[in-house]
Amino acid sequence: MQKNYNHEQIEEVIQVLNDPKNRLLSFMTKYDDNKEMLDLYDELRNFKEAHLNLIQKDRPNLPLQWQKLNYKIGNSHKKKISWMIAASVILLISLTFVLQFETLFSPQQLVVDNSPIEKGEAKAILITSSGKVVELDENKDWVLKEKQGVKIVGDTKNLIHYNKDPISKDKSAKMAYNTLKIPRFAEYQIVLSDGTKVWLNSETELKYPIQFEGKQRVVELIGEAYFDVEKDASKPFFVKTKGIETRVLGTEFNVSAYPNEELNITLLEGKVQLAGKALSHKLILKPGENANRKRGATEMLVSEVDVKKITAWRDGYLYFEKERLEDILIKLQRWYDFKVFFQNPVVKDYEFRMRADKASDFNEIVNRLEATGRIQVDIKAKAVLISDVKR
Amino acid sequence: MKKGLINKAILEELFNTYYNSLYYYAYSFLNDTEISKDIVNDVFEYIWVKRNTIDISYSIKSLLYSMVKNKAINHIRHQEVKKKHHHFEISKSEIAEDDYQEHDVLMKKLMQAIEELPPKAGLVFKMCFIENLSYKEIAAELGVSVNTVKTHITKSLKRLREDFKHELVLFFFSAENK
């Protein structure tokens, strides 16, 4: 990078940026082996790109472009489905109408909130090293200054980064920790200072230093998270949870450690070692293996699993593989705002297999559970009553 | 990044995540809205057509950005070739896949830095880089001398370069660590 700007050079590059059709190619030919000028072009082009982004100049209509793309890549299949959805929506609407019509004229009329069960709105909370509690606003980009010249950058896609200013004079050596709390109905993604990516599921808490000092990288987890750990053989990465420490050397794995639920640690890539007070001996997981500890159990059992199912939540799906209805509903409650009541306790142990898009309506999920013909689901406001069809 | 192959849901997510940024990336090369959209659409069409051979665990982000860049430069090249009947060779560096992992972080920093420019300097910067006005036109519109415009531009660029430099340092630092 050259040290100083020269007016003539700047003007020349700006002209190229403003009229690339006529000038870019001759510029590139002219300065083919002049790195200084090519770098200046790239630098100024970056400024222009950032400015365009900033003011969102001539912003494209995304849904329209998506439609165009779909048209191009051919989409007869999807069209059919959307017609089917439209048809079923109409059917649902008419059903609702009939039902409401009935209530309207029934003698004992109850005041019921008939608004559908929605995916709740929730804000994540960040607790800084000084103990300040910050509600993260998902509607705008934000930056927070931390100790040691660290900046926390967040955006509207629920993603947080940690960046360090290399010339910061704040050399306070003490480890400073942040805690990120994800409430119900929310999800977050965070990139730690070492480049490790962590996807955090609903109702999850992660405590981590804003910079990893010393010989180890240690984070603490309650809830569920997927880790893509940046390789650094000299600094092993540890996830502490429920008396188990997962030791990592650059790998991808999922940890599900909610209070009062079974513990699952699933390895996708690389190698992890489990140890800790809660374990009698160390365990090593191979890719595709899952270590499971049932509620109340003391030992961890290792078995092979389909990792896609375990990590489905991160890809936007709810996935249940022959799980107890009660467990399924606990998980659904992290995503949808409702309370569940069981008319017949026996249904709690019914097992279901289901894969649903997190974007789907709660009704859609209920319909699929009912379609099994085993349970009946009644929804009144935010209360979901489940009864056994056989009784 | 996600593992495995691309399905429709993933394509839609990639589309929603990257479309705008890719569009502005193309725009910064081409200074043309329509061609920029066409190019970004073509790139998404390409990854759909090749969905069975692209593993998105390998940085799809870098692939998308690299393709947009190559297509943008190729577009200009073809135009120029038609016009001047010149023959140009594609240099290797333009085809090689660059690393774009940090690109959005860089953009975010720069956006913030641009926003923090003093009002007058910011205005001159915008007239020059976005509205494509010449120094002369800017001077006339603001009722100042061309030299004042030049000074504003130089000062703004210096300030931005400061941020840019840190970003580069950071980038190399993280690359070494891998």
Side-chain angles (χ1 to χ4, degrees), chain A residues 111-124:
Chain A
V111 183
V112 183
D113 173 12
N114 268 324
S115 55
I117 289 178
E118 299 205 8
K119 289 173 281 250
E121 288 261 335
K123 283 195 173 119

PDB file of all heavy atoms in Angstrom, chain A residues 111-124:
ATOM      1  N   VAL A 111     -65.339 -15.704  26.520  1.00  0.00           N
ATOM      2  CA  VAL A 111     -64.450 -14.751  25.862  1.00  0.00           C
ATOM      3  C   VAL A 111     -63.097 -15.425  25.696  1.00  0.00           C
ATOM      4  O   VAL A 111     -62.397 -15.703  26.658  1.00  0.00           O
ATOM      5  CB  VAL A 111     -64.312 -13.463  26.692  1.00  0.00           C
ATOM      6  CG1 VAL A 111     -63.444 -12.461  25.946  1.00  0.00           C
ATOM      7  CG2 VAL A 111     -65.678 -12.892  26.986  1.00  0.00           C
ATOM      8  N   VAL A 112     -62.783 -15.744  24.479  1.00  0.00           N
ATOM      9  CA  VAL A 112     -61.537 -16.456  24.225  1.00  0.00           C
ATOM     10  C   VAL A 112     -60.690 -15.655  23.244  1.00  0.00           C
ATOM     11  O   VAL A 112     -61.189 -15.124  22.263  1.00  0.00           O
ATOM     12  CB  VAL A 112     -61.832 -17.850  23.625  1.00  0.00           C
ATOM     13  CG1 VAL A 112     -60.531 -18.609  23.423  1.00  0.00           C
ATOM     14  CG2 VAL A 112     -62.753 -18.635  24.527  1.00  0.00           C
ATOM     15  N   ASP A 113     -59.429 -15.580  23.558  1.00  0.00           N
ATOM     16  CA  ASP A 113     -58.493 -14.937  22.636  1.00  0.00           C
ATOM     17  C   ASP A 113     -58.190 -15.934  21.530  1.00  0.00           C
ATOM     18  O   ASP A 113     -57.541 -16.941  21.736  1.00  0.00           O
ATOM     19  CB  ASP A 113     -57.213 -14.589  23.417  1.00  0.00           C
ATOM     20  CG  ASP A 113     -56.124 -14.073  22.490  1.00  0.00           C
ATOM     21  OD1 ASP A 113     -56.441 -13.782  21.318  1.00  0.00           O
ATOM     22  OD2 ASP A 113     -54.987 -13.957  22.952  1.00  0.00           O
ATOM     23  N   ASN A 114     -58.704 -15.642  20.352  1.00  0.00           N
ATOM     24  CA  ASN A 114     -58.561 -16.604  19.272  1.00  0.00           C
ATOM     25  C   ASN A 114     -57.337 -16.359  18.388  1.00  0.00           C
ATOM     26  O   ASN A 114     -57.189 -16.972  17.349  1.00  0.00           O
ATOM     27  CB  ASN A 114     -59.821 -16.626  18.413  1.00  0.00           C
ATOM     28  CG  ASN A 114     -60.774 -17.684  18.914  1.00  0.00           C
ATOM     29  OD1 ASN A 114     -60.345 -18.741  19.369  1.00  0.00           O
ATOM     30  ND2 ASN A 114     -62.056 -17.401  18.863  1.00  0.00           N
ATOM     31  N   SER A 115     -56.475 -15.443  18.801  1.00  0.00           N
ATOM     32  CA  SER A 115     -55.294 -15.175  17.968  1.00  0.00           C
ATOM     33  C   SER A 115     -54.421 -16.429  17.926  1.00  0.00           C
ATOM     34  O   SER A 115     -54.290 -17.134  18.914  1.00  0.00           O
ATOM     35  CB  SER A 115     -54.499 -14.013  18.538  1.00  0.00           C
ATOM     36  OG  SER A 115     -54.171 -14.274  19.881  1.00  0.00           O
ATOM     37  N   PRO A 116     -53.866 -16.719  16.750  1.00  0.00           N
ATOM     38  CA  PRO A 116     -53.094 -17.943  16.628  1.00  0.00           C
ATOM     39  C   PRO A 116     -51.828 -17.906  17.479  1.00  0.00           C
ATOM     40  O   PRO A 116     -51.344 -16.835  17.826  1.00  0.00           O
ATOM     41  CB  PRO A 116     -52.726 -17.971  15.145  1.00  0.00           C
ATOM     42  CG  PRO A 116     -52.818 -16.558  14.700  1.00  0.00           C
ATOM     43  CD  PRO A 116     -53.862 -15.912  15.541  1.00  0.00           C
ATOM     44  N   ILE A 117     -51.339 -19.074  17.805  1.00  0.00           N
ATOM     45  CA  ILE A 117     -50.099 -19.146  18.581  1.00  0.00           C
ATOM     46  C   ILE A 117     -48.930 -18.765  17.684  1.00  0.00           C
ATOM     47  O   ILE A 117     -48.736 -19.333  16.619  1.00  0.00           O
ATOM     48  CB  ILE A 117     -49.922 -20.569  19.148  1.00  0.00           C
ATOM     49  CG1 ILE A 117     -50.952 -20.767  20.248  1.00  0.00           C
ATOM     50  CG2 ILE A 117     -48.499 -20.781  19.655  1.00  0.00           C
ATOM     51  CD1 ILE A 117     -50.944 -22.121  20.863  1.00  0.00           C
ATOM     52  N   GLU A 118     -48.192 -17.779  18.123  1.00  0.00           N
ATOM     53  CA  GLU A 118     -47.135 -17.270  17.267  1.00  0.00           C
ATOM     54  C   GLU A 118     -45.771 -17.593  17.814  1.00  0.00           C
ATOM     55  O   GLU A 118     -45.607 -17.903  18.980  1.00  0.00           O
ATOM     56  CB  GLU A 118     -47.276 -15.752  17.153  1.00  0.00           C
ATOM     57  CG  GLU A 118     -48.591 -15.380  16.531  1.00  0.00           C
ATOM     58  CD  GLU A 118     -48.517 -14.040  15.863  1.00  0.00           C
ATOM     59  OE1 GLU A 118     -47.402 -13.497  15.761  1.00  0.00           O
ATOM     60  OE2 GLU A 118     -49.553 -13.547  15.444  1.00  0.00           O
ATOM     61  N   LYS A 119     -44.807 -17.452  16.905  1.00  0.00           N
ATOM     62  CA  LYS A 119     -43.438 -17.519  17.361  1.00  0.00           C
ATOM     63  C   LYS A 119     -43.190 -16.224  18.110  1.00  0.00           C
ATOM     64  O   LYS A 119     -43.385 -15.150  17.570  1.00  0.00           O
ATOM     65  CB  LYS A 119     -42.489 -17.637  16.172  1.00  0.00           C
ATOM     66  CG  LYS A 119     -42.586 -18.998  15.512  1.00  0.00           C
ATOM     67  CD  LYS A 119     -41.787 -19.073  14.265  1.00  0.00           C
ATOM     68  CE  LYS A 119     -42.506 -18.438  13.146  1.00  0.00           C
ATOM     69  NZ  LYS A 119     -43.040 -19.122  12.096  1.00  0.00           N
ATOM     70  N   GLY A 120     -42.822 -16.302  19.364  1.00  0.00           N
ATOM     71  CA  GLY A 120     -42.714 -15.103  20.178  1.00  0.00           C
ATOM     72  C   GLY A 120     -41.583 -14.191  19.764  1.00  0.00           C
ATOM     73  O   GLY A 120     -40.677 -14.591  19.065  1.00  0.00           O
ATOM     74  N   GLU A 121     -41.675 -12.957  20.201  1.00  0.00           N
ATOM     75  CA  GLU A 121     -40.588 -12.010  19.981  1.00  0.00           C
ATOM     76  C   GLU A 121     -39.714 -12.044  21.214  1.00  0.00           C
ATOM     77  O   GLU A 121     -40.206 -12.031  22.329  1.00  0.00           O
ATOM     78  CB  GLU A 121     -41.155 -10.595  19.828  1.00  0.00           C
ATOM     79  CG  GLU A 121     -41.882 -10.370  18.542  1.00  0.00           C
ATOM     80  CD  GLU A 121     -40.990  -9.660  17.537  1.00  0.00           C
ATOM     81  OE1 GLU A 121     -40.058  -8.966  17.973  1.00  0.00           O
ATOM     82  OE2 GLU A 121     -41.244  -9.818  16.334  1.00  0.00           O
ATOM     83  N   ALA A 122     -38.420 -12.104  21.033  1.00  0.00           N
ATOM     84  CA  ALA A 122     -37.567 -12.130  22.205  1.00  0.00           C
ATOM     85  C   ALA A 122     -36.257 -11.460  21.903  1.00  0.00           C
ATOM     86  O   ALA A 122     -35.775 -11.482  20.783  1.00  0.00           O
ATOM     87  CB  ALA A 122     -37.327 -13.567  22.632  1.00  0.00           C
ATOM     88  N   LYS A 123     -35.699 -10.839  22.914  1.00  0.00           N
ATOM     89  CA  LYS A 123     -34.419 -10.174  22.714  1.00  0.00           C
ATOM     90  C   LYS A 123     -33.340 -10.881  23.510  1.00  0.00           C
ATOM     91  O   LYS A 123     -33.527 -11.228  24.671  1.00  0.00           O
ATOM     92  CB  LYS A 123     -34.524  -8.721  23.158  1.00  0.00           C
ATOM     93  CG  LYS A 123     -35.249  -7.881  22.130  1.00  0.00           C
ATOM     94  CD  LYS A 123     -35.028  -6.407  22.383  1.00  0.00           C
ATOM     95  CE  LYS A 123     -35.603  -5.592  21.246  1.00  0.00           C
ATOM     96  NZ  LYS A 123     -36.649  -4.692  21.649  1.00  0.00           N
ATOM     97  N   ALA A 124     -32.191 -11.082  22.871  1.00  0.00           N
ATOM     98  CA  ALA A 124     -31.077 -11.692  23.573  1.00  0.00           C
ATOM     99  C   ALA A 124     -30.433 -10.646  24.484  1.00  0.00           C
ATOM    100  O   ALA A 124     -30.587  -9.458  24.289  1.00  0.00           O
ATOM    101  CB  ALA A 124     -30.065 -12.216  22.578  1.00  0.00           C
TER     102      ALA A 124
END
